[in-house]
Amino acid sequence: MLLRRLSEAAGVSGDEGEVRRIILEELDRLGLPAEVDVLGNVMARAGERREGHTSGGAGGVAGRPRVMLAAHMDEVGMIVTYIEKDGLLRFGTVGIDDRVLPAKEVTVGRDRVRGVIGLKPIHLQDPDDRKKAVKRNDLFIDIGARSREDAEKRVKVGDYACFKSSFAKIGEKALKGKAFDDRVGCAVLLRVLEDAHEFPLIATFTVQEEVGLRGAAVASWTVDPDMALVLEGTICSDTPGTEEHMQATRLGGGPALSIMDGRSISSKTMLRGLIDAAERRGIPYQFKRSTMGGNDAGRIHLSRAGVPTASVSVPCRYIHSPASIISVDDFENAYRLVSAFLDSVEEGFRP
Ligand code: CO
């Protein structure tokens, strides 16, 4: 399964190469020409090519809208900042909640050197320590090295570290893995590209979303779309301890539509178009009930003279941790919803 390969690939922000290679391979298999820009974003034109059009330039071909679909390739992770004399690695984090770090397995660097995030054992902690969340500065990555010299044979400062977590089907309807934010978006997008469309559709796989939506800023300038749809994995908090009104999304409740988050307000027309498409095809959907966070839409809608933008997201429990859970049905329905929306563009929907 493609989602397995994407989920198990290492791709912390700024180090998306392994994910990019899988995506370029898939685009090649689909016969879609792809470009990689200076920052590492991947852009592939679909639609136009199938219609035999040449490149349309800004504004699309003969009044047809130019549609950008975007998913980010990067994931949260760590970067090695210092190697201690005893061979333990100090690290900085990229988009991670320090509380999920202790005792997790990681891989470090291109060679995927195995390690564990270590901390002081409970027996040696002060009663006060136990009341506080563990801070990153009290943690280190242990790769089994005996000294700095020994560690330096296998890793170096600046190496990225990423969670080691295998993909699995659990129960009847759930998938478990790391980096579903946003490899689910990448997988949905690649699947959408299997279908033919008659307008210029530009698939964009962005870099550095988790550190401030950076790849999307330049990609959207290059693509110059008439509208953009961001495909994401988003917060799901339907578990005990979260009051119902605080539950951003529910697992199995369908793909989530964002009305507003910390970085953008969705195009009202596109939201209406997405809801109509869902209702026409009987596809379940939900609204994301949290205005926190932000995704690539935050940069794309501000590109050039402004771009109508909306997001479709797959709910991910335990997001930004080594083990997220999604519903197979939400994943399928996200694909169906994007596909139905693109069909409505084919039939004349304009933002
Ligand atoms: Co994301």
Side-chain angles (χ1 to χ4, degrees):
M1 190 185 186
L2 179 61
L3 183 57
R4 171 191 294 273
R5 285 180 70 206
L6 288 167
S7 164
E8 292 183 352
V12 178
S13 308
D15 187 44
E16 296 89 353
E18 201 174 312
V19 181
R20 185 164 43 240
R21 272 191 294 282
I22 297 172
I23 287 167
L24 289 172
E25 242 175 73
E26 286 300 304
L27 292 171
D28 190 54
R29 188 180 64 77
L30 292 167
L32 298 173
E35 276 170 51
V36 179
D37 72 10
V38 174
L39 292 196
N41 295 301
V42 176
M43 287 163 284
R45 288 152 184 271
E48 302 175 276
R49 186 193 57 91
R50 291 204 167 95
E51 281 301 284
H53 292 291
T54 50
S55 170
V61 179
R64 297 177 207 199
R66 197 173 167 85
V67 180
M68 174 181 189
L69 292 180
H72 68 90
M73 294 186 284
D74 62 314
E75 69 187 288
V76 298
M78 294 134 275
I79 187 162
V80 177
T81 53
Y82 182 72
I83 303 177
E84 297 278 2
K85 279 196 277 302
D86 52 11
L88 297 169
L89 318 179
R90 295 293 186 170
F91 59 93
T93 50
V94 178
I96 275 188
D97 175 352
D98 290 356
R99 294 173 309 163
V100 308
L101 295 172
K104 297 305 186 310
E105 279 196 72
V106 296
T107 63
V108 187
R110 288 279 146 77
D111 299 333
R112 308 292 292 262
V113 170
R114 289 185 68 165
V116 169
I117 300 179
L119 77 166
K120 195 200 275 187
I122 185 165
H123 318 72
L124 305 181
Q125 290 171 12
D126 304 332
D128 266 2
D129 283 350
R130 294 190 200 174
K131 290 190 201 135
K132 287 182 284 190
V134 173
K135 287 276 177 292
R136 190 214 317 155
N137 289 344
D138 300 327
L139 301 168
F140 42 82
I141 298 172
D142 188 336
I143 57 165
R146 294 179 306 277
S147 65
R148 181 181 290 151
E149 292 65 37
D150 188 26
E152 281 171 346
K153 287 179 197 147
R154 290 180 290 148
V155 301
K156 55 188 185 313
V157 168
D159 276 354
Y160 281 90
C162 119
F163 290 127
K164 179 169 169 34
S165 174
S166 54
F167 177 92
K169 181 156 187 254
I170 57 174
E172 284 293 298
K173 285 285 180 189
L175 300 171
K176 167 255 164 189
K178 74 165 179 67
F180 284 162
D181 171 15
D182 183 26
R183 307 292 155 72
V184 288
C186 296
V188 168
L189 177 42
L190 285 165
R191 190 153 154 210
V192 166
L193 296 177
E194 308 247 356
D195 310 325
H197 290 284
E198 292 178 13
F199 50 87
L201 183 67
I202 293 95
T204 314
F205 300 88
T206 63
V207 295
Q208 298 186 36
E209 191 267 356
E210 299 291 358
V211 287
L213 327 178
R214 296 175 191 168
V218 297
S220 51
W221 194 92
T222 306
V223 172
D224 188 14
D226 297 311
M227 68 174 126
L229 190 61
V230 172
L231 312 182
E232 261 288 9
T234 197
I235 327 162
C236 176
S237 49
D238 56 344
T239 47
T242 308
E243 282 185 75
E244 208 173 318
H245 72 100
M246 291 296 285
Q247 299 184 350
T249 61
R250 280 186 309 105
L251 199 74
L257 302 176
S258 305
I259 295 167
M260 172 177 125
D261 64 23
R263 302 296 295 266
S264 70
I265 294 171
S266 293
S267 147
K268 298 273 187 298
T269 327
M270 284 183 73
L271 264 181
R272 193 66 252 166
L274 284 159
I275 293 165
D276 287 348
E279 285 175 356
R280 262 204 318 275
R281 300 264 174 98
I283 304 166
Y285 66 94
Q286 56 187 318
F287 293 110
K288 183 174 165 186
R289 281 169 291 174
S290 160
T291 53
M292 304 302 281
N295 64 31
D296 278 343
R299 285 296 186 95
I300 297 170
H301 82 294
L302 298 177
S303 181
R304 296 192 184 229
V307 179
T309 305
S311 306
V312 171
S313 305
V314 176
C316 298
R317 280 184 183 165
Y318 329 120
I319 198 165
H320 289 199
S321 87
S324 294
I325 286 182
I326 62 164
S327 138
V328 175
D329 291 340
D330 290 343
F331 181 69
E332 287 294 316
N333 286 321
Y335 160 73
R336 290 176 63 212
L337 176 53
V338 175
S339 178
F341 178 74
L342 294 177
D343 287 347
S344 74
V345 174
E346 202 98 60
E347 288 152 18
F349 172 85
R350 297 293 179 266

